[in-house]
Amino acid sequence: MVILSISITEQLVSPDVEALSHKRTTQAGSTVVAYDREDPFYCLDAMCLEWSGNGKGDYRYSPEEIKLPNNGFVSDFVYESHEIKAGFVPMKELPCAQGKEDECQSVLITLREKACNVTLTLVYTVYKKANCITRRVILENNEDSPLIIRRLLSMSMDMPNMGFSLTTFDGDWAREAHRHDRLLQPGIFINDSRTGSSSNKHNPGFLLSEKNADNSKGRVYGFNLVYSGNHFGFAELNSHELVRVGIGINPHCFEWTLKKGDNFETPEAVMTFSEDGFNGLSKNFHSFVNDNIVPKDWQGKDRPVLYNSWEPCFFKFNQGKLLSLARLSKKMGMELFVLDDGWFEGRNDDNAGLGDYSTNRKKFPFGLGRFAKKIRKMGMEFGIWFEPEMINENSNLFRAHPEYAVSQPGIESTLGRNQLVLDLCNPLVRDYIVDSVGKVLDETKASYVKWDMNRHISEFWSAHSRAGEFFHRYILGLYDILGRIFKTRPHILLESCSSGGNRFDLGMLCFSPQVWTSDCTDPALRLDIQGGLSHLYPQSTMGAHVSDSPHQQTLRNTPLSTRYNVSCFGCLGYELDLRFLTPAEKSEIKDQIAFYKTHRKTFQYGTFERLPVVSSRLENKSVWRCSSKDNKETIAGFFQTQAGVGEEADTLRIPGLESAATYRVTTRPQKLYIRRFGGLVKHLLPVTLNPDGFILRTANRFYSLLDCVENYECKGSALAAGILLNNQFTGRHYNNNTRLLGDYGSSIYTITKISS
Ligand code: DGJ
């Protein structure tokens, strides 16, 4: 018997099984194969299954491909037993979601292969609050001969097609997680990674939505994987109008040998569903990540406002320069100083040094411990960057142990950012990393680590692994290292990074409460990147920094206010050269940080929604909103990309507040700098001044205009309908009530309940 139709957990508890189950009252066509000789209507290809093997008449993509001990690929796993448990089922080597016994419930269903003594256990855990179900499988070989797994996904789910569209989050370096939607057509669509990590090319998470679903309404299904390596997700529409969805380890170059008595456990898949559109779905995922994925010590905990040395310094710094940056950042209200790349011996550019972790004494003559102490003495926390999975050929480690690098004998190794990957399948390499990183952490008493990984893997081979097991063993090695370093130092805030968001996944989030979202710090592009990721991950996980403009990645100029307005919908940080800011800019940053601290809980843990700007003709405007848990405070960001002329009035529509309650809506005060107006400034002045002359340049350093501040008092019902905002500048008549957004302009509105 093959398990049918609806979710297993529902089958076990619901009286509706018969009504919900897939019917078979006729034959599905003349070429079909009947699973049961006695029942010609029993055709697997036309049925919704909970798991499916191979060679029994189901021609869809199977979640497994196993060369069984009988040397054949035909597999037919049938029900043997099940067990219901309170709580979740811990995993041996992989990270997984966790919840208290009264918050989640598990069911384990054991299937037995009909011809071989091999079992497959389907493990489900239901997380009630987050409305998420996790799934994984455990395959166990009890035959004398080994079996070979060529594919074993974590889950497979079938349902009738509802005109589904498939949404994926794709990109590359510095343009991660852009949302793409397409109608599901007959055939198979694959969302996968083959780079060795979950990748910036295709995030593992993807969604299926029914026709007409939008941000606030309609049925949407979400899938993700608690895994940081090569992933494989697919959606297939077959000839019987059935949709199969699966997700798990990528079968690409995968081959795992399972000897007698051994078992193989897949990573955990996560599924959720909402009838309240994409926002409803992301609320489920956000709650799940915040409460069931990130390490316990960091659940719900404030993330510090940090200063990072990378963009302002790259490799060019010494202790004096860093200390002056730290002093300035402290004055503006920042809480954590992060020393990025370039602090260790030989690391003056990206050609050398990875693998060696002794302090560069030219840069830190008194050692790193003393430097960290000075930072703490200023009243800031100290954080430090590592790239522990990598090695440069020009390093002492490589000279001593060339065999530590991933490479295949007889094949020239290819470089990525001038570096090779360390072989995490090798236990000696893992010990070396745990030891050297641990020593620096203890010496500096760091309370934050940025764990970087800056290249895709090539020549994937190890003397410590069978060829087809390399990719998975690498990730198991990584999890082993992370566990050994950070489970014993739970007070350290780990921010994972892989050239930005090349490894933004639930596996890393089990160790690192936040991820450096992207190397792109241009807020115009961050709208797409953070906006895309927000479908799957909460704001508390996204590192978002204010950087210098023009931006290093795009050469675009953007207002300081917009750089902040986008970054505050995440874990706020600053990554710009504070020494060259004008006094006016310094004071603006101080105000920004004070505002963030006041509303930090709402920004980091509030309920997040992406809202359309209702009346916009052009798709150049968007609104993000997050609301405090008690809904008394909402913060909305209004963002514009390209400015238009004479567009219709902008609307701020905030659904979900109490209709009869009264709210105060206020613009967060922000500054406009004189230089933004260039030559136009002469129209405002009684005398003509050179826009780039001494007087205006000096004025720009010390003075700024206050951007238009709006104040409204209105009912929740009015906000749900959409309040109309002041006009934007249209080329004529500047006054204090005109919103001067221009290209990439934005404003933040706070909406506070003042009476019921
Ligand atoms: C890539 C990261 O994404 C950057 O933020 C920075 O840490 C560099 N690596 C340092 O090499």
Side-chain angles (χ1 to χ4, degrees), residues 710-724:
E710 294 163 272
N711 277 302
Y712 309 100
E713 261 183 36
C714 57
K715 298 278 182 212
S717 53
L719 278 157
I723 60 168
L724 290 167

Side-chain angles (χ1 to χ4, degrees), residues 503-755:
R503 213 161 51 180
F504 204 129
D505 60 66
L506 296 173
M508 290 311 286
L509 286 169
C510 285
F511 300 91
S512 74
Q514 61 189 60
V515 183
W516 176 229
T517 307
S518 176
D519 272 358
C520 179
T521 48
D522 176 337
L525 299 182
R526 276 285 183 134
L527 283 174
D528 286 328
I529 298 170
Q530 290 174 222
L533 286 167
S534 73
H535 291 79
L536 307 166
Y537 309 100
Q539 314 88 275
S540 67
T541 62
M542 286 185 223
H545 298 178
V546 173
S547 63
D548 276 313
S549 162
H551 293 281
Q552 278 171 0
Q553 305 79 13
T554 56
L555 289 181
R556 198 196 322 271
N557 266 306
T558 61
L560 179 54
S561 50
T562 293
R563 285 176 259 157
Y564 168 79
N565 292 345
V566 174
S567 301
C568 65
F569 284 88
C571 300
L572 179 66
Y574 288 78
E575 194 164 336
L576 73 178
D577 200 332
L578 304 172
R579 297 170 308 163
F580 304 123
L581 294 174
T582 66
E585 286 168 328
K586 283 180 187 157
S587 113
E588 180 170 8
I589 291 183
K590 206 171 170 188
D591 293 346
Q592 292 177 341
I593 294 175
F595 184 85
Y596 186 77
K597 286 179 179 170
T598 310
H599 303 283
R600 179 170 4 210
K601 270 272 173 321
T602 305
F603 278 129
Q604 295 181 349
Y605 294 100
T607 308
F608 180 88
E609 289 187 349
R610 300 157 298 271
L611 303 170
V613 176
V614 190
S615 60
S616 178
R617 271 178 281 140
L618 307 165
E619 288 194 340
N620 61 345
K621 292 164 197 165
S622 54
V623 169
W624 289 347
R625 98 21 118 91
C626 50
S627 300
S628 59
K629 292 267 178 282
D630 60 10
N631 230 359
K632 285 190 180 144
E633 167 180 281
T634 291
I635 302 197
F638 184 101
F639 303 105
Q640 171 164 292
T641 48
Q642 259 187 2
V645 175
E647 291 182 12
E648 74 281 85
D650 289 326
T651 313
L652 185 66
R653 181 185 271 187
I654 307 290
L657 302 176
E658 285 172 51
S659 321
T662 307
Y663 293 85
R664 178 174 298 123
V665 182
T666 318
T667 323
R668 181 187 76 82
Q670 60 188 29
K671 291 176 177 165
L672 283 169
Y673 296 103
I674 296 168
R675 70 160 177 260
R676 180 123 199 253
F677 300 98
L680 294 174
V681 82
K682 65 176 178 273
H683 301 302
L684 297 175
L685 298 173
V687 286
T688 302
L689 293 172
N690 175 357
D692 197 32
F694 177 74
I695 299 179
L696 282 181
R697 273 193 285 126
T698 309
N700 184 68
R701 284 181 59 73
F702 295 98
Y703 300 105
S704 56
L705 307 171
L706 186 63
D707 205 352
C708 159
V709 171
E710 294 163 272
N711 277 302
Y712 309 100
E713 261 183 36
C714 57
K715 298 278 182 212
S717 53
L719 278 157
I723 60 168
L724 290 167
L725 300 173
N726 282 8
N727 300 141
Q728 287 199 40
F729 182 68
T730 55
R732 301 166 62 80
H733 302 297
Y734 164 71
N735 60 47
N736 282 347
N737 294 319
T738 303
R739 292 160 63 232
L740 283 160
L741 269 69
D743 277 356
Y744 314 108
S746 62
S747 327
I748 293 265
Y749 295 90
T750 49
I751 299 144
T752 320
K753 185 173 160 186
I754 48 177
S755 65

Side-chain angles (χ1 to χ4, degrees), residues 310 340-341 347 385 417 450 452 454 497 499-500 516 519:
W310 178 243
D340 209 284
D341 197 353
R347 189 77 178 154
W385 175 97
R417 207 192 182 200
K450 179 171 172 189
D452 208 346
N454 284 310
C497 167
S499 288
W516 176 229
D519 272 358

Side-chain angles (χ1 to χ4, degrees), residues 93-166:
E93 292 176 290
L94 288 163
C96 68
Q98 310 203 355
K100 295 204 192 95
E101 287 220 337
D102 55 344
E103 292 168 350
C104 54
Q105 194 184 21
S106 302
V107 54
L108 291 88
I109 301 172
T110 301
L111 312 179
R112 181 168 295 281
E113 211 288 313
K114 266 175 144 175
C116 298
N117 190 4
V118 173
T119 59
L120 185 84
T121 305
L122 310 178
V123 184
Y124 299 74
T125 303
V126 179
Y127 290 85
K128 281 178 256 172
K129 183 175 158 234
N131 203 7
C132 286
I133 299 177
T134 60
R135 292 184 53 176
R136 64 182 195 258
V137 307
I138 305 168
L139 186 75
E140 186 168 322
N141 182 14
N142 295 309
E143 293 281 356
D144 288 336
S145 335
L147 63 76
I148 292 170
I149 306 170
R150 302 219 303 211
R151 172 168 75 242
L152 188 64
L153 300 186
S154 304
M155 60 148 286
S156 159
M157 188 181 99
D158 298 345
M159 49 188 171
N161 187 19
M162 298 290 174
F164 285 124
S165 285
L166 175 71

